[in-house]
Amino acid sequence: MPIVKIDKSQLTLGMFIEAVEGIWTAERNVGRRFKVEDLTQIEAIRNSNISGIFINTDLGAQSDAAAAAPGPQTAGRYKLSPRARLQEMKWNVQRNLSLAKRLMEDIRTGRQTSPDSFAPIVTDIARAMRENPSLYLGMTRLRAQDTATYTHSLAVAALLWNFSLALELEQGLAELLCLAGLLHDIGKLLIPQAILQKQGPLDPPERRVMESHAEKGAQLLDRMETLPPLLADICRHHHERPDGSGYPDRLSGADLSLYVRMTTICDVFDALTASRPYKKGWSSQEALKWMLTCQGQFDKALLWKFMLSLEPQLTRGIL
Ligand SMILES: [Fe+2]
């Protein structure tokens, strides 16, 4: 019988659960063996004390790991209706936002946090971007005022993941850059809301406070002993520009690592395309066209590669 053990974070609609490991007081009407057909079931399991799940891939969807394995189990992911897939994606974004918010708050308050804590988010982003990048990025473009920083971080993480794969960086590095995307703006948690949410232009003192988020974020990440130094480096330098006009260190050219240059492109692209309650974001095409005209702001060769890393429907009319 094709039984595969998965982590509860990998559970998706359409999987058939044979057994669980750990204690779970299941709803009476669900039964011990069942196919997952409702998001509330996934939520209940993910919030439970279950440590592992055994799924039957003959009777339902298989895990990504099983789907990637060679052999007879490569029939592909269980087919969901478009509506169910949309519902699942929305739910994933919401769950990732809550987890990202909690983990970033941990870092802000100085609690030691390891990269493993972010693994469920990175895994979800990777799956969503593999299955439907347009849908995932489209969802993260809608910014509620109170969660804007977190949603932006999710979007930049997804773009960086996608960009890393397009540049054929190895998997571990792609995961690290995805995490860097999640954490690049963590310093904004230390910026007063009045400045962060101001809708008009910032005056010079306010701008200095706002710009301090890069340094403040890097300081927070530096204090985390288990986080790789690359994360703090990207956080500190994601507003530097190739012509030296950025901040905080006015680095230029070759002093900016590939990873910083990648993050800058993803960061600006997402900021331009995001919609706020008071403004509609630019289309992908408008954003990319504008970025191509900016002198000294982006690594142009890398920007072209970034465009190629996006789905054709996101860049139609550009190339
Ligand atoms: Fe930033």
Side-chain angles (χ1 to χ4, degrees), residues 2 9 31 37 45 56 80 88 104 113 115 136 143 173 185 211 229 248 257 274 282 311-312:
S9 66
E37 288 173 329
I45 289 172
N56 185 330
L80 292 171
E88 184 186 48
M104 285 195 230
T113 307
Y136 189 81
R143 304 284 152 86
L173 184 52
D185 259 349
E211 291 183 351
S257 74
W282 291 5
E311 278 201 317

mmCIF file of all heavy atoms in Angstrom, residues 2 9 31 37 45 56 80 88 104 113 115 136 143 173 185 211 229 248 257 274 282 311-312:
data_model
loop_
_atom_site.group_PDB
_atom_site.id
_atom_site.type_symbol
_atom_site.label_atom_id
_atom_site.label_comp_id
_atom_site.label_asym_id
_atom_site.label_seq_id
_atom_site.Cartn_x
_atom_site.Cartn_y
_atom_site.Cartn_z
ATOM 1 N N PRO A 2 0.639 2.208 -0.858
ATOM 2 C CA PRO A 2 1.519 3.390 -0.953
ATOM 3 C C PRO A 2 1.276 4.397 0.170
ATOM 4 O O PRO A 2 0.542 5.363 0.007
ATOM 5 C CB PRO A 2 1.146 3.979 -2.309
ATOM 6 C CG PRO A 2 -0.281 3.562 -2.509
ATOM 7 C CD PRO A 2 -0.473 2.280 -1.778
ATOM 8 N N SER A 9 2.454 20.236 8.243
ATOM 9 C CA SER A 9 2.506 21.471 7.444
ATOM 10 C C SER A 9 2.382 21.186 5.948
ATOM 11 O O SER A 9 2.118 22.077 5.158
ATOM 12 C CB SER A 9 3.814 22.222 7.717
ATOM 13 O OG SER A 9 4.903 21.452 7.248
ATOM 14 N N GLY A 31 -14.104 10.604 11.344
ATOM 15 C CA GLY A 31 -13.633 9.217 11.288
ATOM 16 C C GLY A 31 -12.117 9.171 11.300
ATOM 17 O O GLY A 31 -11.438 10.183 11.223
ATOM 18 N N GLU A 37 -11.117 17.226 2.496
ATOM 19 C CA GLU A 37 -11.853 17.953 1.471
ATOM 20 C C GLU A 37 -12.288 19.331 1.932
ATOM 21 O O GLU A 37 -13.032 20.022 1.249
ATOM 22 C CB GLU A 37 -13.084 17.128 1.046
ATOM 23 C CG GLU A 37 -12.669 15.916 0.225
ATOM 24 C CD GLU A 37 -13.812 14.978 -0.080
ATOM 25 O OE1 GLU A 37 -14.734 14.882 0.734
ATOM 26 O OE2 GLU A 37 -13.762 14.350 -1.149
ATOM 27 N N ILE A 45 -5.964 20.175 11.970
ATOM 28 C CA ILE A 45 -4.815 19.280 12.097
ATOM 29 C C ILE A 45 -3.524 20.075 12.312
ATOM 30 O O ILE A 45 -2.699 19.741 13.156
ATOM 31 C CB ILE A 45 -4.709 18.375 10.850
ATOM 32 C CG1 ILE A 45 -5.855 17.368 10.870
ATOM 33 C CG2 ILE A 45 -3.360 17.664 10.786
ATOM 34 C CD1 ILE A 45 -6.004 16.546 9.620
ATOM 35 N N ASN A 56 -2.339 7.971 2.228
ATOM 36 C CA ASN A 56 -2.417 6.896 1.243
ATOM 37 C C ASN A 56 -2.492 7.566 -0.131
ATOM 38 O O ASN A 56 -3.506 8.192 -0.477
ATOM 39 C CB ASN A 56 -3.669 6.056 1.515
ATOM 40 C CG ASN A 56 -3.736 4.852 0.595
ATOM 41 O OD1 ASN A 56 -3.239 4.887 -0.529
ATOM 42 N ND2 ASN A 56 -4.377 3.798 1.068
ATOM 43 N N LEU A 80 -7.587 19.792 -8.051
ATOM 44 C CA LEU A 80 -8.629 20.508 -7.330
ATOM 45 C C LEU A 80 -9.382 21.376 -8.318
ATOM 46 O O LEU A 80 -8.830 21.760 -9.359
ATOM 47 C CB LEU A 80 -8.001 21.425 -6.275
ATOM 48 C CG LEU A 80 -7.300 20.766 -5.095
ATOM 49 C CD1 LEU A 80 -6.575 21.827 -4.299
ATOM 50 C CD2 LEU A 80 -8.312 20.050 -4.220
ATOM 51 N N GLU A 88 -7.673 27.426 -1.274
ATOM 52 C CA GLU A 88 -6.492 26.891 -0.596
ATOM 53 C C GLU A 88 -5.363 27.923 -0.594
ATOM 54 O O GLU A 88 -4.682 28.126 0.403
ATOM 55 C CB GLU A 88 -6.029 25.609 -1.289
ATOM 56 C CG GLU A 88 -4.863 24.962 -0.559
ATOM 57 C CD GLU A 88 -4.305 23.768 -1.312
ATOM 58 O OE1 GLU A 88 -4.064 23.886 -2.531
ATOM 59 O OE2 GLU A 88 -4.095 22.729 -0.703
ATOM 60 N N MET A 104 8.473 37.233 13.255
ATOM 61 C CA MET A 104 9.188 38.521 13.186
ATOM 62 C C MET A 104 9.073 39.249 14.517
ATOM 63 O O MET A 104 9.993 39.948 14.934
ATOM 64 C CB MET A 104 8.645 39.357 12.042
ATOM 65 C CG MET A 104 9.114 38.876 10.688
ATOM 66 S SD MET A 104 8.806 40.120 9.439
ATOM 67 C CE MET A 104 7.998 39.166 8.201
ATOM 68 N N THR A 113 15.699 32.923 17.271
ATOM 69 C CA THR A 113 14.831 32.258 16.291
ATOM 70 C C THR A 113 15.711 31.608 15.231
ATOM 71 O O THR A 113 16.640 32.239 14.728
ATOM 72 C CB THR A 113 13.905 33.297 15.627
ATOM 73 O OG1 THR A 113 13.229 34.005 16.662
ATOM 74 C CG2 THR A 113 12.890 32.648 14.720
ATOM 75 N N PRO A 115 16.374 29.464 11.484
ATOM 76 C CA PRO A 115 15.783 29.418 10.144
ATOM 77 C C PRO A 115 14.708 28.330 10.042
ATOM 78 O O PRO A 115 13.754 28.478 9.282
ATOM 79 C CB PRO A 115 16.975 29.086 9.238
ATOM 80 C CG PRO A 115 18.178 29.501 9.998
ATOM 81 C CD PRO A 115 17.831 29.313 11.445
ATOM 82 N N TYR A 136 -0.483 33.401 -6.840
ATOM 83 C CA TYR A 136 0.118 33.709 -5.534
ATOM 84 C C TYR A 136 0.547 35.174 -5.470
ATOM 85 O O TYR A 136 0.239 35.890 -4.524
ATOM 86 C CB TYR A 136 1.321 32.799 -5.278
ATOM 87 C CG TYR A 136 1.830 32.935 -3.870
ATOM 88 C CD1 TYR A 136 1.208 32.272 -2.828
ATOM 89 C CD2 TYR A 136 2.914 33.747 -3.580
ATOM 90 C CE1 TYR A 136 1.643 32.410 -1.528
ATOM 91 C CE2 TYR A 136 3.366 33.898 -2.273
ATOM 92 C CZ TYR A 136 2.732 33.222 -1.257
ATOM 93 O OH TYR A 136 3.167 33.373 0.030
ATOM 94 N N ARG A 143 -2.808 44.859 -0.334
ATOM 95 C CA ARG A 143 -2.211 45.181 0.970
ATOM 96 C C ARG A 143 -3.186 45.856 1.910
ATOM 97 O O ARG A 143 -3.598 46.991 1.668
ATOM 98 C CB ARG A 143 -1.002 46.122 0.796
ATOM 99 C CG ARG A 143 0.071 45.614 -0.121
ATOM 100 C CD ARG A 143 0.907 44.540 0.549
ATOM 101 N NE ARG A 143 1.449 43.621 -0.436
ATOM 102 C CZ ARG A 143 2.581 43.815 -1.096
ATOM 103 N NH1 ARG A 143 3.300 44.878 -0.873
ATOM 104 N NH2 ARG A 143 2.998 42.931 -1.973
ATOM 105 N N LEU A 173 20.485 27.590 -1.148
ATOM 106 C CA LEU A 173 20.678 29.034 -1.284
ATOM 107 C C LEU A 173 19.358 29.715 -1.646
ATOM 108 O O LEU A 173 19.034 30.802 -1.140
ATOM 109 C CB LEU A 173 21.752 29.303 -2.354
ATOM 110 C CG LEU A 173 22.155 30.753 -2.576
ATOM 111 C CD1 LEU A 173 22.540 31.450 -1.280
ATOM 112 C CD2 LEU A 173 23.319 30.827 -3.571
ATOM 113 N N ASP A 185 12.710 43.556 5.487
ATOM 114 C CA ASP A 185 12.134 44.807 6.012
ATOM 115 C C ASP A 185 11.785 44.704 7.486
ATOM 116 O O ASP A 185 10.964 45.479 7.984
ATOM 117 C CB ASP A 185 10.856 45.157 5.223
ATOM 118 C CG ASP A 185 11.110 46.229 4.180
ATOM 119 O OD1 ASP A 185 12.200 46.853 4.201
ATOM 120 O OD2 ASP A 185 10.222 46.451 3.337
ATOM 121 N N GLU A 211 14.286 55.600 6.692
ATOM 122 C CA GLU A 211 15.455 54.940 6.092
ATOM 123 C C GLU A 211 16.281 54.168 7.123
ATOM 124 O O GLU A 211 17.039 53.263 6.765
ATOM 125 C CB GLU A 211 16.321 55.985 5.377
ATOM 126 C CG GLU A 211 15.617 56.540 4.136
ATOM 127 C CD GLU A 211 16.468 57.532 3.353
ATOM 128 O OE1 GLU A 211 17.545 57.922 3.870
ATOM 129 O OE2 GLU A 211 16.047 57.899 2.241
ATOM 130 N N PRO A 229 24.706 35.091 8.496
ATOM 131 C CA PRO A 229 25.002 36.528 8.361
ATOM 132 C C PRO A 229 24.498 37.127 7.049
ATOM 133 O O PRO A 229 24.262 38.335 6.973
ATOM 134 C CB PRO A 229 26.541 36.584 8.418
ATOM 135 C CG PRO A 229 26.956 35.290 9.034
ATOM 136 C CD PRO A 229 25.895 34.288 8.755
ATOM 137 N N PRO A 248 22.172 52.445 3.620
ATOM 138 C CA PRO A 248 22.776 53.454 4.499
ATOM 139 C C PRO A 248 24.273 53.684 4.217
ATOM 140 O O PRO A 248 24.822 54.685 4.668
ATOM 141 C CB PRO A 248 22.623 52.828 5.882
ATOM 142 C CG PRO A 248 22.680 51.349 5.647
ATOM 143 C CD PRO A 248 22.065 51.122 4.293
ATOM 144 N N SER A 257 26.529 42.742 -3.436
ATOM 145 C CA SER A 257 26.557 41.323 -3.801
ATOM 146 C C SER A 257 25.411 40.992 -4.759
ATOM 147 O O SER A 257 24.421 41.728 -4.845
ATOM 148 C CB SER A 257 26.441 40.455 -2.554
ATOM 149 O OG SER A 257 25.119 40.481 -2.068
ATOM 150 N N ALA A 274 2.119 46.636 -5.904
ATOM 151 C CA ALA A 274 1.161 46.393 -4.817
ATOM 152 C C ALA A 274 0.047 47.434 -4.823
ATOM 153 O O ALA A 274 0.270 48.600 -5.137
ATOM 154 C CB ALA A 274 1.882 46.430 -3.475
ATOM 155 N N TRP A 282 0.774 49.477 -9.950
ATOM 156 C CA TRP A 282 1.059 49.401 -11.387
ATOM 157 C C TRP A 282 0.926 47.946 -11.832
ATOM 158 O O TRP A 282 1.090 47.015 -11.034
ATOM 159 C CB TRP A 282 2.488 49.852 -11.673
ATOM 160 C CG TRP A 282 2.732 51.307 -11.456
ATOM 161 C CD1 TRP A 282 1.862 52.241 -10.946
ATOM 162 C CD2 TRP A 282 3.956 52.007 -11.733
ATOM 163 N NE1 TRP A 282 2.467 53.468 -10.888
ATOM 164 C CE2 TRP A 282 3.746 53.354 -11.361
ATOM 165 C CE3 TRP A 282 5.190 51.641 -12.248
ATOM 166 C CZ2 TRP A 282 4.737 54.319 -11.504
ATOM 167 C CZ3 TRP A 282 6.183 52.599 -12.386
ATOM 168 C CH2 TRP A 282 5.958 53.922 -12.019
ATOM 169 N N GLU A 311 6.450 34.692 -15.067
ATOM 170 C CA GLU A 311 5.619 33.972 -16.027
ATOM 171 C C GLU A 311 5.327 34.861 -17.239
ATOM 172 O O GLU A 311 5.204 36.084 -17.103
ATOM 173 C CB GLU A 311 4.298 33.600 -15.380
ATOM 174 C CG GLU A 311 4.389 32.355 -14.551
ATOM 175 C CD GLU A 311 3.001 31.753 -14.380
ATOM 176 O OE1 GLU A 311 2.066 32.508 -14.141
ATOM 177 O OE2 GLU A 311 2.905 30.549 -14.478
ATOM 178 N N PRO A 312 5.162 34.257 -18.420
ATOM 179 C CA PRO A 312 4.881 35.060 -19.619
ATOM 180 C C PRO A 312 3.692 35.994 -19.435
ATOM 181 O O PRO A 312 3.726 37.128 -19.891
ATOM 182 C CB PRO A 312 4.583 34.003 -20.686
ATOM 183 C CG PRO A 312 5.279 32.772 -20.217
ATOM 184 C CD PRO A 312 5.273 32.839 -18.709
#
